[in-house]
Each structure stands twice: as structure tokens, then as C-alpha cells.
Amino acid sequence: MSGMRRSEIVGLDCAAAQTLDGSGWIEILEKGVLVTLRGKTGWREVEIGRGSSDLACPVVAQEI
């Protein structure tokens, strides 16, 4: 679980350069995803690891 709000998830961009309103972005890495987002208390980073299979992997779902 990432502990992210729905509003934080839908406001994410695919790269830092695309973030016009400064809400956050996603970086796909070898071992998972690094999500950088702006919350009420400032910037935070959330790491999401790859799943045990492609069917259950949130990273594979994002790559499609």
C-alpha cells in the first residue's frame, strides 16, 4: 500500500518536466516506481515495488 490519496494519484504526471501545477510525477525504475508528490506538508517520495507476476504488478500496469 502506498498511503496515497486518490486526488494525489490522478494528479500525477509521467515526468518532472511535465508537472506544470507541481502536483507530482512518476519515475519507472528497474526495481519499481518512485512517485514524487506534493502533499499538504510538502514534498514526499513513495516507492512502489514490482509485483511477483506481471498480472499483479502495478509497475507493468503503468508501463502499458
Side-chain angles (χ1 to χ4, degrees):
M1 293 249 206
S2 66
M4 295 169 36
R5 295 178 181 89
R6 286 178 286 191
S7 60
E8 293 173 331
I9 295 170
V10 299
L12 292 174
D13 292 314
C14 293
Q18 294 178 340
T19 303
L20 299 176
D21 63 354
S23 61
W25 62 89
I26 298 171
E27 296 175 64
I28 298 178
L29 307 171
E30 184 178 325
K31 293 187 176 183
V33 172
L34 179 63
V35 180
T36 304
L37 35 89
R38 181 189 305 246
K40 292 181 181 179
T41 59
W43 289 96
R44 69 181 174 125
E45 293 183 336
V46 177
E47 295 177 359
I48 302 172
R50 291 188 179 266
S52 57
S53 72
D54 284 353
L55 292 174
C57 181
V59 180
V60 171
Q62 175 60 36
E63 291 175 330
I64 294 177

